[in-house]
Amino acid sequence: MSQSNSPRKKHSCQCGSRHSGENSGGFSRRNFIKSMSAGAMAVAATGAAVRHARAQEKDEDPPADIQGMVPVSITINGRVYRLLVEPRWTLLYVMREQLGITGPKEGCGRGECGACSVLIDDVPRYSCLTLAVEASGKRVESTEGLLGPNEELGPVQEAFLEEDAYQCGYCTPGQVVAAEGLLRKNPQPSLEEIRIGMSGNLCRCGTYNHIFNAVQKAAKKKA
């Protein structure tokens, strides 16, 4: 019988399993396609991130091509930031973790202590309870934004220093911001109005009398 008429043997790999679309324990076509797809997605995300960074450098709007991200434009301490954020990100998270603005502090995380206070269009707000998308198109100020043009202390900051209105200092940035917001609304508040106006900011060290004195002195400095 000729060789051409002999039954064909099924080729097998060295491990003894037959070649097919997938083999157990090997690198199948499906796994290869999956890995290539994942790689392409990673490259696309990286490319979008790079374009985002370049847009920031050129003061342009960021690309809106990262899934789940939304573009926002926030003026913080006089500078416009155009960036992509997740809708769930708080203003506090974006300022501290994305932009490196560390004046606002993470305290309670639920709007009770005031350590994260910032001014939004001159009104004190808890940045831990404010979504970054809510602040889009608005003017935000932290304690860094209250410095003078040559980075000298502003009137409220000077008053807090002179009246020793701090101990550990953790709540101080939020206290300063709250005091600034109070004085912008009411330039000459009474002691009772100061107590009420500063009631949303807690001082675990208990330096309230010094804080109230500082706000009174700041009112005179700003007059």
Side-chain angles (χ1 to χ4, degrees):
M1 182 179 294
S2 63
Q3 186 175 0
S4 60
N5 293 329
S6 62
R8 295 182 179 179
K9 294 182 180 180
K10 294 180 179 179
H11 293 283
S12 61
C13 64
Q14 292 180 355
C15 65
S17 62
R18 290 183 296 177
H19 289 279
S20 62
E22 289 185 81
N23 54 52
S24 59
F27 193 68
S28 68
R29 288 193 299 268
R30 180 179 297 175
N31 289 337
F32 175 76
I33 293 172
K34 285 182 178 179
S35 66
M36 291 298 292
S37 299
M41 291 176 64
V43 170
T46 302
V50 171
R51 293 194 298 276
H52 180 196
R54 289 176 178 172
Q56 278 283 79
E57 293 177 357
K58 298 179 180 179
D59 197 29
E60 299 174 350
D61 290 330
D65 57 356
I66 298 180
Q67 186 175 8
M69 308 288 273
V70 296
V72 297
S73 177
I74 311 173
T75 301
I76 303 177
N77 298 328
R79 177 181 173 182
V80 178
Y81 292 89
R82 296 181 177 89
L83 62 158
L84 295 174
V85 302
E86 290 188 21
R88 64 187 178 89
W89 286 355
T90 64
L91 178 60
L92 176 64
Y93 173 79
V94 170
M95 291 180 70
R96 288 185 60 86
E97 306 300 331
Q98 302 296 313
L99 302 177
I101 302 172
T102 57
K105 299 294 189 286
E106 175 76 45
C108 64
R110 54 180 182 239
E112 294 180 357
C113 72
C116 67
S117 295
V118 297
L119 295 177
I120 300 181
D121 291 341
D122 296 324
V123 178
R125 293 275 298 273
Y126 296 140
S127 60
C128 74
L129 294 185
T130 304
L131 296 175
V133 293
E134 294 181 79
S136 185
K138 297 183 179 180
R139 179 169 45 87
V140 177
E141 293 172 88
S142 65
T143 187
E144 293 96 333
L146 303 183
L147 294 171
N150 297 315
E151 296 192 355
E152 68 273 14
L153 296 178
V156 176
Q157 294 163 326
E158 280 185 347
F160 267 70
L161 180 62
E162 293 169 3
E163 291 297 322
D164 197 22
Y166 53 85
Q167 283 191 31
C168 76
Y170 194 85
C171 74
T172 304
Q175 299 277 3
V176 168
V177 166
E180 179 71 23
L182 169 62
L183 294 177
R184 289 184 186 182
K185 181 179 179 181
N186 183 359
Q188 297 297 324
S190 65
L191 179 58
E192 183 61 24
E193 289 171 329
I194 291 174
R195 290 178 183 272
I196 295 173
M198 299 297 293
S199 62
N201 292 70
L202 302 181
C203 174
R204 291 181 173 88
C205 300
T207 60
Y208 292 108
N209 287 335
H210 294 265
I211 291 171
F212 300 153
N213 291 338
V215 177
Q216 288 181 314
K217 177 171 279 191
K220 296 177 181 178
K221 286 178 175 287
K222 290 170 71 72

